[in-house]
Amino acid sequence: MAEPQEHGPTERSGLAGTLKLIAVVAVLLLALLAAGFVLDLVPKEAMGEIATKVVLLATIVAITAFLIGALVGRSKR
């Protein structure tokens, strides 16, 4: 029979993996926004406003994920 495998801390993503995923999505959204700016699809006036909103949304999601992780972590103790 196959032996059960232990899942070490390097194999679990957890909160750190979630925050990395959020950061990757935010960077991709900013790259798309920059590409739209370079191709003149997004006007200069809207560039700063949209970039600010993307960063604020990513921050809100990251803080929410951190707080949920902290609450879940406390309940497991």
Side-chain angles (χ1 to χ4, degrees):
M1 283 205 285
E3 296 179 20
Q5 296 178 355
E6 291 186 27
H7 294 285
T10 57
E11 295 179 18
R12 290 183 275 179
S13 61
L15 181 61
T18 303
L19 292 176
K20 286 180 184 177
L21 179 63
I22 292 168
V24 167
V25 170
V27 168
L28 288 174
L29 287 173
L30 287 174
L32 280 171
L33 183 63
F37 178 71
V38 169
L39 297 173
D40 290 329
L41 298 175
V42 178
K44 289 182 182 180
E45 298 81 29
M47 181 69 172
E49 183 181 340
I50 294 172
T52 302
K53 288 180 181 182
V54 168
V55 170
L56 287 174
L57 281 175
T59 304
I60 290 169
V61 173
I63 291 171
T64 303
F66 175 77
L67 292 174
I68 290 172
L71 290 173
V72 170
R74 284 188 180 182
S75 67
K76 288 184 180 180
R77 291 183 188 178

